[in-house]
Amino acid sequence: VLALAHPREVNRERLLDLLWGDSDRGLARQSLRQALTTAKRSVGGVLRADRDLLSLDMDRCNVDLVAFLELSNADDIRSLHDAIEHYQGPLLEGLSISEDEFDHWLNVERARLSKLATETMLRLRDLYLAEGNHAAAVSILQRLLELDPACEEAHRSLMRTFEATGQRSVALQQYQ
């Protein structure tokens, strides 16, 4: 939550709603205090907390998610490639918290990040194709299909790229 909010801070009340929305407010505040104490012990000065607001000190830590978000806005091959290297799939995959508010937040963020990753990979594909680097375009499209096997644009683009490089049989296999 704090990484996605970067560079903004997160209000403690927001975290209470997300993580302990159905709990008694007093117990929820106590749970948050305990969680923050544990986090401060394990990550030192990375966590910034005052009375009402929490944030991460990005000068003291590296977060793949933050790097992905920053680099995905670039227009050059190196930055977009690096952005994609930081994206490893669905946000907090495998995490299960039985709070409706958190589940909703997580699903919205997963969808947003997945869409951004797809858009970033397609922009990178376009740059590779513009410079005639078909092999790199194929590689990024195959990575996209690993993350989203139903991405029709990636399938179509792979077929066109294989066709353009004289690999008609591979294009037909991709079609099938």
Side-chain angles (χ1 to χ4, degrees):
V1 174
L2 298 179
L4 277 170
H6 176 74
R8 299 178 322 276
E9 298 167 313
V10 176
N11 187 293
R12 286 177 188 253
E13 293 298 317
R14 176 70 177 138
L15 287 177
L16 292 175
D17 291 340
L18 283 174
L19 301 173
W20 297 281
D22 294 333
S23 300
D24 170 77
R25 239 8 192 197
L27 291 174
R29 283 188 183 90
Q30 182 179 347
S31 294
L32 179 59
R33 278 192 300 274
Q34 288 173 344
L36 291 173
T37 298
T38 301
K40 284 180 184 178
R41 278 190 206 129
S42 64
V43 294
V46 170
L47 185 62
R48 287 191 267 174
D50 67 20
R51 182 166 167 77
D52 296 319
L53 301 173
L54 302 166
S55 64
L56 294 176
D57 183 348
M58 297 310 291
D59 292 332
R60 300 187 73 174
C61 67
N62 293 314
V63 180
D64 282 349
L65 177 60
V66 173
F68 167 69
L69 291 170
E70 290 173 354
L71 291 166
S72 65
N73 292 320
D75 292 325
D76 63 285
I77 288 177
R78 181 80 247 151
S79 296
L80 293 177
H81 178 80
D82 289 348
I84 295 309
E85 290 299 311
H86 288 288
Y87 185 81
Q88 297 300 313
L91 176 66
L92 301 173
E93 188 170 34
L95 179 69
S96 176
I97 296 178
S98 58
E99 284 293 331
D100 290 341
E101 180 99 12
F102 182 81
D103 282 341
H104 175 73
W105 172 85
L106 184 57
N107 288 330
V108 167
E109 290 300 325
R110 280 179 177 163
R112 179 179 75 88
L113 293 169
S114 176
K115 181 178 184 226
L116 180 59
T118 297
E119 291 168 352
T120 302
M121 288 185 212
L122 292 175
R123 285 178 34 234
L124 183 55
R125 171 218 47 200
D126 292 344
L127 292 173
Y128 282 139
L129 290 175
E131 69 176 19
N133 190 344
H134 292 93
V138 166
S139 178
I140 201 66
L141 288 165
Q142 289 172 333
R143 169 93 193 277
L144 174 53
L145 288 172
E146 288 172 9
L147 295 170
D148 182 6
C151 182
E152 291 182 31
E153 184 171 354
H155 284 289
R156 282 191 306 269
S157 186
L158 264 177
M159 287 183 281
R160 281 190 218 108
T161 304
F162 288 138
E163 178 70 27
T165 58
Q167 300 177 69
R168 184 166 170 70
S169 63
V170 180
L172 289 171
Q173 285 176 341
Q174 184 66 39
Y175 173 76
Q176 295 191 2

